[in-house]
Each structure stands twice: as structure tokens, then as C-alpha cells.
Amino acid sequence: MTTETPVIEVRDLEKVYRLGRNVEVPALQGVSFTIYPGEAVAIMGPSGSGKSTLMNILGCLDKPTRGEYYLDGQRVSDLSDDELAHIRNRKVGFVFQTFNLLPRMSALENVALPLRYAGVLRGARERAREALERVGLGDRLHHRPNELSGGQQQRVAIARAIINNPSIILADEPTGNLDSRTGREIMDLLLTLNREQGTTLIVVTHDPEVAHMMQRILHIRDGRLLREERTGTR
Amino acid sequence: MLSTLYLAITEALRSLAANKLRSFLTILGIVIGVAAVIALLALGRGAQKIITENIQGLGTNLILVGPGNPQRDPAAQLNIPPLKLADAYALQDPQAAPSLQYVVPLLRRSVRVRYGDKTYTTLVFAVTPEYRIVRNYNVIEGTFLTEEHLLNRASVAVIGPELAKILFGRDHDVVGTTIFIQGYPFRVIGVLEYKGAAGFGGTQDDRVVIPLTTAYARLFPEDRGKVDVIMASAVSPDRIDAAQEEIRQILRVRRRLRPGEEDDFTIFTQQEFLQIFQVITGVLTVFLGGIAAISLLVGGIGIMNIMLVSVTERTREIGLRKALGARKRDILIQFLVEAVTLSLVGGLLGILLGWGIARGVELVAARFDTTLPAVVDLQAILLATLFSAAVGIFFGFYPANRAANLEPVEALRYE
Ligand SMILES: Nc1ncnc2c1ncn2[C@@H]1O[C@H](COP(=O)(O)OP(=O)(O)OP(=O)(O)O)[C@@H](O)[C@H]1O
Ligand SMILES: [Mg+2]
């Protein structure tokens, strides 16, 4: 696995939030790590340690203050707004703690949304239906989010994340709003996708049990990488 | 591209439908503005059509002379002598008035016409045969008055087609019948062609035309020698001004006006009617344009306001869409389409409402025997549509641009 190109490589990543004129909040203070294609990695750390900040940068939603980020060997800071939009659309699939589904749209339409921005119009509904079947929601295509349980909503969000066959799934506390059994089912689903499709999976979690389902755990503290832990999981 | 637009439009409609009342209130300004303009324009066009037809229907190169002059001071308006038959004869002198071709004296009175058990009150025009020429009239049946009728004071009448319908229930096969005007029998010798409405106030097709001499001899002996209007025609359109001046000089002498004293009669030409009318329409158009501009401006500001609210409300949605791969222009287009949809729906509703109002006025006017057709032409509809779309684009651009430039993380974090 060592000669492969890393899917993600960050070096000395720093992020400073500016509050007002001269208050600076250092959220990330020099983080470096490498993730290879197909890996399943957990990110753990206390609240406020910078996990979400890191995920946003990895997902090209935010830019680091300093440091380098290479995605599939490409320097992200060199990319234009449109190219970043393209990456968010094709390479990265986001799963949020709060699901973030559009309430006026059916499950099917929510899942098909990234296809629109990919310029796919023909066959979009068919593909969205397939994605929903893959997450076990083939019988809830036309339900609105408020007609679905939390676990079902998160499945819709996962179907939406995988609709464009991304190389990475970024999940920021995907089980945070779910009970432990439903949370487990969601994690099983994400790991199945990771195993069967070879999609790189990065999950932020506070749950050690969830973290130990991954191959590696990155422990973050105060915006720094405290240590890297290899679990026994294959 | 087309299907992208289709998706954007359906989505815009859906998001507007989610806030029906708000969307409706937002477009109300545009609806009312466009409706007002369309309705006024439609009625204006209708009135214009009628009046123009009317003026042109008067006949070519027509000159009208009547007693009185609104420009004289009010004290001098009293005791103005009527026009005389002799005045008309004087105008017929080719030496004194070389620019005039035909001169027709006209006496106009309200009369009761009867046939069988049907009676009808209308206007009788007592004229000479040249009336047909200066008014550009044809008969659809029979003949018009002749010199012989005039000389013999014949009791003959040419009737308008509407009057024929009223009396006989048909506008043909009526020549030879006898009708009674003020109780005197008259033989119908012809039916006039249709000329349509006479200004605001019914038709001119229900009138009776008889020889002037017959009117003096039988119907109105007390008016003998008097005329209400003298109609004349110039020998050619470019001689109208000259003809007008000749009439003026002859009548001033005959009416014994001192030099410097103002005319106590008025000369009107068809051109002058048209000019006055065009000035009125011009003012009306500017006025309507002003209403349109103000209402569209107000409507546009309403749309901008609600779009700004909508962008703020949907900040999270915008962040999410960006996280899913929406580019700036995708968001820009989404909100622009929404704004334009709002303004276009407003514009279309306005067109319908305005058309409805104009039709309503037309129907009400018809109940009062006034012809005022609502003429909604394609040009007005296209213009209204185009303008409301332009308003949407113009006032939607700022909010849409604001949405497009939101930073994805910050938008997603927005509560
Ligand atoms: N937009 C922002 N402006 C200012 N400071 C911020 C902003 N976002 C995050 N921070 C600060 O940066 C630090 C890291 O925040 P971050 O959200 O990454 O933490 P986290 O590890 O995800 O925490 P949690 O487990 O509670 O989600 C915190 O101190 C937070 O207050
Ligand atoms: Mg967080």
C-alpha cells in the first residue's frame, strides 16, 4: 500500500478564525497526515479540538490559512472556485450530523440534486432510485424528509453522498443525532460502501466503539494531531 | 440547457408555491401596475379606433361650418345669428370660393318615425343631394336623393340600415314602403350603407335623410331658411387651408363682422379633428407610461425585498447546494429564475386582469349604448411581458448575486 498515490495528503495545515479586529482563534495548528485510497479512518478528539474545521478543509468547503493540501495529487489551493465546486460534486461525498436534506423535496429529488450540478439530466431519477435502493430505502422514494425517521434521513443523505461515485466520503458525526442501534446501522452501511466500492471513508466521531470499526484513528487535540492509532480492524 | 432551465423554473415555482400568500403579495404591485396599464391602453386603443374611424367616416376633404366660436369672449356668445341657406348659396359661387367643390346646407332635428305600430325617435338630416358626396356615403339599396326630389319638395326619405332593421326587421327589400315622419308620409327610396358608431353615443346608422326643401315645406316651416351646419369639401386636400380662408371671408362679410372683430362662427376640418385627437392620445400615452414606470418600479422593489429575505432564510440551503457541487452561476441562475418567475407571473396575471377590466368596461359601456371596444393588441401584451421580465432580472440580480457569493462553510453553519 505504500507506493500508491495518497488520496489525501495534508502538511502543516493551519486554520485561524478571526473574530473581530484582533481576536484570533487558532482552530488548526499544523496538522500533517496522509490517507490512501480505500482506507477507513476515524477522527477523534474533544469538542472544539478542530475536527469539523479539518473536515471542511478536506471537503474543499473551506480554505486553510497556511499549509498544503493535496487531493488525488492535486494542490487544492491552486484551484478556482468552479474547480472546487467540481471536486465537491464528483470526488467528495458529505454526510452531516444534521442530515441537511431539503425539506420540500422528496427523498428521490434530494438524492438526485448533485446530479443536476454534474449536468446529468437524463436518467437522473433512475440513478437516484438505485442509490436509494443501495442504502435500503427503495420503498421510500417519494417521502419528504419530515416523513422519515432520523436513521432513514441519514440513509437518504448517504445515498446523496454516493450518487456521483465519489472517491471519498466525509462524515462529520454521522451518528451524532441517532440512537446507538440506528447509529450502528448507519456505520455498517458506510463501512459496506467502503469495503465494496473501495471508497475512502473519513468519519468524525466521539464514540470509541464506532472509531474502532475503522482501520486508523487520528486523535486531534487543540488543533494538533496528538497521535495516530492503528486498530486491529483489517 | 433547456432542460436545466426547465428544472430551474419548476423548482422556482415550487419554492414560490411554498409561500403562496407571500409570493402573491409580492407580485401584487406588478399585477396592479400591469393591469392598469393594459386596461387603460386597451380602452384608449378602442376609443382611438372608434374616433379615428368616425372622423375618417365623415368624408374626404371635409370642412364643417357652424355658428358660434368658443374663442370669443362669453359676453359675445349671446345672440349669435344662425347660419342661413343663403350663406350656403354664397359659398357655392365659384368666383368667390374657387377652392370649394361641394357645399351642403344641413338642418338637423329630432323626429319620431313610425312604420306600422313601430315608432322610433331619431335624427333627421335635411340636406341637398351633394351630401352623399361630401360624406362619402353609398346606398346598399335603392337611390340617394336627387336634384329633382329637391326641386319638387318630394316626400322621400333615405334611411339608415339600423333604422330599417328597427322599423322593418331587415335592412333590405324596404324601398317603396311608406313611413311616417312626425306624422307626414314619406316614401323610402334608399337604404344607406353601414357607417358604424357615432362617437360615444350610439350609431349614426339609425338616421333619416330627406330633401332640405321638403323639411322647410312640411316638417319645420318655422325653420325655413335656417341651417345648422354647412358641410363643404375642398377641391383637393392641399386646397383645404385656402378653402377655409375663402369661407371665412365670405361669411364675415355676410354676417357683417367689423374688421378686428372675432369670427362668430367656427370652421372645422377633418385634419383639425385628427390633430386635436392625436394631441389627446399623446398626452394619454405619456401619462400611461408614467403609471407603468412607477408601478413597475414599486413592484420591482417589492420583489427585491422579498428575494433578499428569501436568500437570508435559505442561507443553509445555499450552503448545502454548494457543498453538493453547485457553482456560483448555478445559485445565481436559481435565484434569478425565481425573481423573474415572480415578476412574469405578476405580469401575466396583470395582463389577464387588465384585459378583464377593459372587457368589463366595454360591457358596461354597451349597456349604456356606448361602443368602447377593448382592444388588447399583441404589442401591448409583449411589451408588458418583456417589461415584467426585465424588472425581475434587474431587481433580482442583487439578491441572487449575494446568494451566489456566500461562502459554503459559513452558509452551512448559518442558523
Ligand atoms: N466560524 C468560526 N469562527 C470562529 N471560530 C470558530 C469558527 N468555527 C469554529 N471555530 C472555533 O474553532 C475551534 C474548532 O472548532 P470545530 O468546530 O472544528 O471543533 P470540533 O472539533 O468540530 O468540535 P465538536 O466536537 O464540538 O463539533 C473551536 O474553538 C471553535 O470555537
Ligand atoms: Mg464539529
Side-chain angles (χ1 to χ4, degrees), chain A residues 88-89 100 109 116-117, chain B residues 11 14 316 321-322:
Chain A
R88 293 195 287 265
N89 186 237
N100 274 338
E109 288 165 322
R116 163 150 9 145
Y117 298 124
Chain B
E11 200 172 298
R14 222 197 300 178
R316 256 185 97 85
R321 285 173 184 270
K322 289 200 154 186

Side-chain angles (χ1 to χ4, degrees), chain A residues 17 19 25 27 45-54 173 206, chain B residues 413:
Chain A
Y17 288 111
L19 289 177
V25 183
S47 187
S49 56
K51 305 180 297 291
S52 294
T53 305
L54 179 60
E173 300 189 44
H206 286 290
Chain B
R413 201 182 290 124

Side-chain angles (χ1 to χ4, degrees), chain A residues 158-171:
Chain A
I158 291 171
R160 182 179 65 190
I162 61 172
I163 185 94
N164 269 331
N165 297 317
S167 39
I168 312 165
I169 291 178
L170 298 174

